[in-house]
Amino acid sequence: KGASIKDIADHIEHICSITGNSDTVALGTDLDGGFGANQAPEEIDTIADLQKLARVLKKRGYNQEDIEKIFHKNWLSRLKSAWKN
């Protein structure tokens, strides 16, 4: 049995609890061809299935802003900072 969406949410919560917020967590997927679905969590067959993780996080009390940070905004912020320098 592989990882589940619940497992991913558990890891996200762990990092957020260590750092104190959602500013340091960002998803990175290789669903664009880097890896196959057999290496993705059980409930993820396509990139569209990531919304299942958003629903789990919302049920756990994450607001829309936190979810957006985790899904893409933290990456954008980091990239803008790196490219600016």
Side-chain angles (χ1 to χ4, degrees):
K1 180 179 177 185
S4 68
I5 288 177
K6 179 192 172 298
D7 295 329
I8 296 170
D10 290 345
H11 285 282
I12 290 170
E13 284 194 338
H14 179 71
I15 299 300
C16 289
S17 72
I18 290 171
T19 62
N21 58 45
S22 64
D23 294 342
T24 57
V25 179
L27 291 180
T29 72
D30 287 313
L31 293 172
D32 59 354
F35 293 99
N38 59 333
Q39 293 157 318
E42 294 174 350
E43 303 94 337
I44 306 272
D45 292 317
T46 71
I47 197 76
D49 290 331
L50 285 176
Q51 292 308 308
K52 295 175 183 177
L53 176 59
R55 288 191 292 271
V56 169
L57 292 173
K58 189 170 185 169
K59 286 181 184 176
R60 292 185 182 200
Y62 288 80
N63 63 38
Q64 188 62 33
E65 180 182 352
D66 289 328
I67 293 169
E68 288 176 6
K69 285 182 192 177
I70 292 166
F71 272 61
H72 68 280
K73 286 186 176 179
N74 287 338
W75 276 122
L76 291 175
S77 175
R78 179 68 182 126
L79 290 170
K80 285 177 185 178
S81 173
W83 288 335
K84 181 172 81 173
N85 296 323

